[in-house]
Amino acid sequence: MLPDTFLALPIDLVLVLAILLAAVVMFAINTPRMDVVAVMVMVTLPFTGVISVPEALSGFSDSNVILIAALFVIGEALVRTGITQKLGDWVAARAGHSEARLIFFLMVGACTLGSIVSSTGVVAIFIPMVLRIARTASIATGRLMMPLSVAALISGMLTLVATPPNLIVHGELVRRGEDGFGFFDFTPFGLPILALAIVYMIAMRRFIGGAVLAPPDPTRRSLGDWEEEFDLTRRILRLRLEEGSTLTGRPLSELDLRAREGVNIVAVERNGRGAGIGRPRADTVLHPGDVLVIDAMENGFDADGLCARSGACAQPLEGGWFSDRARHIGLAQAMVPPTSPLVGQTVTQARIRSRHDLAVIGLKHGAHAVPGALREEVLRPGDTLLLMGPWHAIRRLQGTRGEVVMLDLPGEADNVAPEAARAPWALLVIGLMVLGMVLGILPNVQVVMIACLMLGLLGCITMAGAYNSMHMKSLVLIIGMLPFSIALERTGGVAMAADALVALAGETSPRMLLAAIFVTTSVFSLFISNTATAVLMAPVAMAVADALGISPYPFAMTVALAASAAFMTPVSSPVNTLVLGPGGYKFLDFVRIGVPFTLITLVVVVAMVPWVLPF
């Protein structure tokens, strides 16, 4: 029999809670994708009659959503101008071979960058650098990856724009007629927590787990290293087209070599000159003297037969071929993260070449390269792809989020920095952006959009790079969850949740209510994203403040800080999921290290928030 309290609920609240429960379950099992669930929420809520269609779609006009999208663009500019790489080099130079110093500078560097760009972006940027440092210092990657993820999460506690939950609670305050938070209002809480995290990670580094030792190579990997590691001299073949070849004079779309000959062309070298290397397109017309660079490990491929039929001459891929042509064509290793839409697709279905101008010429399941044909290989979480293509395409993919995470670029990539000369301009613009937000001269969203325009005008970012940098999955998730706060408030759900928390705490002090809100937010974050948790908990926390007749600021700040404290499991945040593979962690490694530090964070928050933001 259902409890009487449930039977007494209004029917419209029951409907909204049912939709919320369904969304939480789908988030927890990750089926379907989170952004799809958000769209389903937007479509379903108006049918309850609680909110209208314009209200369900109001997230598209929310200034915080635009601000978050613009901050993705800022992060892309930092990557294109090489600022993030210089930060990584700075960390490596200061740390030397000391593990404790490395953890300190790594966490400080990640937090510094994460206070401006998203924490997920910070981890994606830092993973390749950490792998290089671990190789140089012969340190197990597991000793460094978890400190990186913890620092990236704590970076969300430093500034207003560091993470979407901060902007969500700020927006809820403004919606209720309050002034909201300032740019550095979060810093007094984030800095002590960061200091404690550094001490905690240095003390616990021997118990973190993930004893994956990076190769002890003291130098950065080169293109020649990858030629040997993936056996490219055997699987990649060059075919020179002679005079009278049947392949010349017609576009590749007419030749249809993949279907007729099983040939997977990955590049075309014009007249044998490196400067002419390019991507094979449907309208590419071949000429005598052109050299086709093909993946020769396709099933059933007969190189000698093709040469005889078409008038071509096979030429081996001499050792050092990629290194000799490093200025014009590059290689990169990329990891398929667990949340990637490519998981479960074959290499052909992933369409990486058609969408990113990059060919997959090598694949590792775990530590072992796949020796045979790649086209029908199914991609799994943690797979390593060896991508080949022009450097600008590699850089463009490096600036995107979601599909793959760039693990490593060869040493030759340092000489092909796309916009490194414009780094001073990017630093100037970002400095002015932060100053404008601190002074409050203009609304934050306007300041950041002006910064994006300036970065574009100064050549620090391209339009294509700007669009590719926007993580639409995260944006749609926020947009889809925002109507829940309207629906729950209108049906009385927010007030009921607040009353329940107050009743649960009884006659205890407001600090105990802060602790209850922190724990509730942290528990919700185990099952749904911290962004969605902030959307649901922000109005509840402020309703608790209203019920007690005290300031809403301590309660709003507690929700924001708790949403960033997603340390407890590898699925609590995409940040943790990204380091799971490179760090060689198990699920319990996060539980063993993350739960105690979450409790430490709880104590700090409950002690400091009322002191800095009085009730």
Side-chain angles (χ1 to χ4, degrees):
M1 180 179 295
L2 292 173
D4 293 340
T5 53
F6 183 81
L7 293 174
L9 292 178
I11 185 63
D12 53 357
L13 177 57
V14 172
L15 292 174
V16 172
L17 291 177
I19 296 173
L20 175 60
L21 178 61
V24 170
V25 170
M26 287 186 283
F27 283 143
I29 64 176
N30 199 29
T31 303
R33 288 176 16 167
M34 289 189 297
D35 50 341
V36 175
V37 175
V39 173
M40 294 167 62
V41 167
M42 285 189 290
V43 171
T44 307
L45 277 176
F47 284 108
T48 65
V50 175
I51 64 174
S52 63
V53 172
E55 287 173 326
L57 302 176
S58 60
F60 285 99
S61 61
D62 190 283
S63 61
N64 287 319
V65 174
I66 305 301
L67 177 57
I68 294 167
L71 289 171
F72 282 126
V73 178
I74 299 295
E76 167 70 2
L78 291 173
V79 173
R80 286 187 59 83
T81 54
I83 294 173
T84 55
Q85 186 176 350
K86 287 182 173 62
L87 180 59
D89 294 339
W90 176 85
V91 170
R94 295 295 183 278
H97 291 269
S98 168
E99 190 172 282
R101 271 205 316 271
L102 181 54
I103 291 175
F104 172 81
F105 284 108
L106 174 63
M107 295 183 72
V108 170
C111 256
T112 301
L113 185 60
S115 64
I116 300 175
V117 301
S118 74
S119 57
T120 305
V122 168
V123 172
I125 290 166
F126 267 71
I127 282 178
M129 181 268 294
V130 172
L131 290 174
R132 291 197 300 270
I133 293 175
R135 280 195 295 266
T136 302
S138 297
I139 297 173
T141 55
R143 300 277 186 91
L144 303 178
M145 287 296 174
M146 195 176 295
L148 170 62
S149 66
V150 168
L153 289 169
I154 294 174
S155 71
M157 305 178 188
L158 290 180
T159 65
L160 174 64
V161 300
T163 186
N166 296 355
L167 294 168
I168 287 169
V169 297
H170 166 78
E172 184 65 20
L173 283 169
V174 172
R175 191 173 69 84
R176 294 164 61 89
E178 305 288 346
D179 292 333
F181 289 121
F183 189 84
F184 288 116
D185 282 354
F186 296 81
T187 311
F189 312 105
L191 288 180
I193 293 173
L194 173 61
L196 288 171
I198 292 172
V199 174
Y200 180 78
M201 283 296 166
I202 292 175
M204 298 292 291
R205 66 186 187 276
R206 302 184 188 281
F207 307 100
I208 289 177
V212 178
L213 189 64
D217 184 10
T219 60
R220 189 171 175 181
R221 307 296 296 279
S222 68
L223 292 172
D225 293 329
W226 287 345
E227 287 184 35
E228 180 179 352
E229 184 177 337
F230 286 87
D231 201 13
L232 297 184
T233 55
R234 186 167 67 91
R235 72 173 304 130
I236 301 298
L237 187 68
R238 299 166 67 228
L239 297 181
R240 180 182 178 86
L241 304 184
E242 305 293 346
E243 289 289 343
S245 170
T246 58
L247 302 181
T248 59
R250 289 187 294 165
L252 290 177
S253 58
E254 291 185 13
L255 297 174
D256 196 15
L257 294 177
R258 174 174 289 187
R260 290 171 45 200
E261 303 286 353
V263 171
N264 185 28
I265 304 175
V266 295
V268 177
E269 187 177 349
R270 289 297 187 188
N271 298 319
R273 295 189 300 272
I277 295 176
R279 170 198 170 193
R281 302 178 182 273
D283 58 354
T284 299
V285 178
L286 301 177
H287 303 285
D290 288 349
V291 178
L292 305 182
V293 183
I294 64 174
D295 186 342
M297 291 297 293
E298 293 295 308
N299 292 330
F301 175 66
D302 180 9
D304 293 334
L306 174 60
C307 290
R309 291 189 298 273
S310 61
C313 176
Q315 297 182 331
L317 188 75
E318 309 94 344
W321 184 87
F322 282 98
S323 298
D324 293 340
R325 293 158 177 79
R327 291 183 59 191
H328 311 290
I329 195 165
L331 297 178
Q333 288 195 85
M335 180 188 71
V336 180
T339 56
S340 172
L342 303 184
V343 172
Q345 297 184 7
T346 65
V347 172
T348 301
Q349 291 170 340
R351 298 176 55 246
I352 293 176
R353 185 166 72 178
S354 62
R355 293 185 295 111
H356 300 295
D357 283 358
L358 295 169
V360 179
I361 62 172
L363 172 64
K364 284 183 179 180
H365 296 313
H368 305 288
V370 176
L374 302 180
R375 286 193 297 172
E376 301 306 318
E377 281 292 319
V378 177
L379 298 178
R380 311 169 188 168
D383 279 356
T384 301
L385 304 176
L386 183 64
L387 304 175
M388 168 184 168
W391 288 112
H392 66 82
I394 291 174
R395 295 292 188 184
R396 185 168 61 243
L397 183 61
Q398 187 181 27
T400 62
R401 305 286 182 264
E403 285 191 2
V404 297
V405 175
M406 284 293 185
L407 287 181
D408 206 2
L409 294 179
E412 291 86 347
D414 291 340
N415 299 321
V416 199
E419 307 296 345
R422 303 180 189 274
W425 291 113
L427 286 173
L428 175 63
V429 171
I430 292 172
L432 291 174
M433 178 193 79
V434 172
L435 181 63
M437 297 178 79
V438 171
L439 297 178
I441 301 172
L442 295 171
N444 288 338
V445 65
Q446 193 171 1
V447 172
V448 176
M449 291 181 70
I450 290 173
C452 290
L453 289 174
M454 292 177 65
L455 290 170
L457 290 173
L458 293 171
C460 300
I461 192 171
T462 63
M463 286 299 296
Y467 282 118
N468 288 334
S469 69
M470 296 181 190
H471 194 237
M472 294 306 299
K473 184 177 180 180
S474 297
L475 294 175
V476 172
L477 172 63
I478 297 170
I479 292 168
M481 293 302 294
L482 282 175
F484 259 130
S485 61
I486 302 174
L488 288 171
E489 189 167 355
R490 190 166 294 173
T491 56
V494 170
M496 290 183 62
D499 292 341
L501 278 174
V502 173
L504 183 64
E507 299 298 324
T508 57
S509 67
R511 287 181 186 269
M512 291 303 298
L513 280 171
L514 290 184
I517 288 173
F518 186 100
V519 171
T520 304
T521 304
S522 298
V523 171
F524 276 7
S525 295
L526 294 177
F527 305 103
I528 62 178
S529 75
N530 59 354
T531 301
T533 299
V535 172
L536 298 175
M537 287 300 299
V540 173
M542 294 178 204
V544 170
D546 289 344
L548 298 177
I550 56 181
S551 171
Y553 285 91
F555 296 89
M557 180 62 71
T558 299
V559 170
L561 297 175
S564 290
F567 311 118
M568 291 188 283
T569 73
V571 295
S572 298
S573 168
V575 167
N576 296 343
T577 305
L578 282 177
V579 303
L580 184 64
Y585 298 121
K586 298 177 182 178
F587 188 94
L588 289 179
D589 291 328
F590 279 89
V591 176
R592 186 174 62 253
I593 302 298
V595 171
F597 190 70
T598 301
L599 296 176
I600 293 173
T601 305
L602 168 62
V603 172
V604 173
V605 169
V606 173
M608 289 195 62
V609 167
W611 178 50
V612 179
L613 300 171
F615 291 115

